[in-house]
Amino acid sequence: LPVSTSTGNRGYRAIVPSRFGYLGTPLPKFNSDDQAGNGVTMVGDQADAYVCLLDSLDIHLAVPVIAVSAGSTSALQFALRHPERCSCLVLISPNSPSAVRAVIAPPPRLVSNILYKSDLIFWAFITYFRSFLISMMGVPYGFELIRDHEAAIDRVIGTILPVKPRSAGILFDLYVSNPAIDTLP
């Protein structure tokens, strides 16, 4: 949402859909034992849901798509599956296909379940382990942040809480959607 409001009032309308598992949008059932196969299907389903949203808004032309972080997975699927509906694709701090495996593996599921399903525990994490969180956002250790950078990071971090209504989507992204991106062409 901060990205959509940063464009100002320049005659554009921002459509900011809630992805599966986030903020009350149900996460379809999937077999967690078959993560890669179902993950790709579900992310593809999310991309198809974007088309349904555009159709319901009576928008039938190609639209620019801006995606941030794990939202890039379904945005890439949207662009690949529906190129006639995507005029351009801008990815900000994306999860993107790579021939090299990620250096930072997701934490064990038990840790993630505790962290992302409790607003209090997550608040403590972002308060007391802020530098670790900032490095997870892509800011290298030792990079000197100016006041404007700090303010931008604080705005992004401020959008995370409450985390509990996002937990199903976050966990899906960590263990299914993010790894499935490497199966894209």
Side-chain angles (χ1 to χ4, degrees):
L1 192 56
V3 172
S4 69
T5 59
S6 69
T7 61
N9 187 7
R10 299 185 183 138
Y12 296 99
R13 176 173 67 166
I15 302 167
V16 186
S18 177
R19 292 185 295 118
F20 294 160
Y22 285 85
L23 300 174
T25 302
L27 180 67
K29 298 279 186 219
F30 71 99
N31 176 0
S32 62
D33 294 331
D34 181 23
Q35 293 177 359
N38 285 310
V40 171
T41 302
M42 286 181 61
V43 175
D45 292 345
Q46 178 71 73
D48 296 341
Y50 296 155
V51 172
C52 292
L53 174 62
L54 291 171
D55 288 347
S56 73
L57 295 171
D58 203 26
I59 300 170
H60 301 286
L61 55 123
V63 296
V65 175
I66 300 172
V68 179
S69 191
S72 60
T73 308
S74 58
L76 281 164
Q77 278 280 10
F78 175 79
L80 289 168
R81 293 167 74 105
H82 305 283
E84 74 286 355
R85 301 299 290 269
C86 183
S87 63
C88 67
L89 180 61
V90 177
L91 303 177
I92 301 170
S93 187
N95 173 41
S96 57
S98 174
V100 178
R101 284 281 172 228
V103 176
I104 301 174
R109 285 182 186 268
L110 176 64
V111 172
S112 294
N113 282 326
I114 292 168
L115 182 63
Y116 294 114
K117 291 185 178 181
S118 168
D119 291 328
L120 177 62
I121 292 172
F122 194 78
W123 171 85
F125 173 73
I126 65 175
T127 300
Y128 297 107
F129 297 96
R130 188 173 189 277
S131 62
F132 179 73
L133 179 63
I134 290 171
S135 73
M136 286 176 52
M137 295 169 69
V139 177
Y141 283 114
F143 183 81
E144 200 165 323
L145 297 169
I146 61 173
R147 190 173 310 175
D148 287 347
H149 294 155
E150 288 280 353
I153 288 170
D154 288 341
R155 282 192 302 276
V156 171
I157 291 173
T159 66
I160 299 172
L161 285 170
V163 73
K164 190 173 182 180
R166 297 168 170 84
S167 63
I170 292 170
L171 294 170
F172 175 75
D173 286 340
L174 277 173
Y175 299 105
V176 181
S177 175
N178 288 350
I181 199 161
D182 287 333
T183 65
L184 295 178

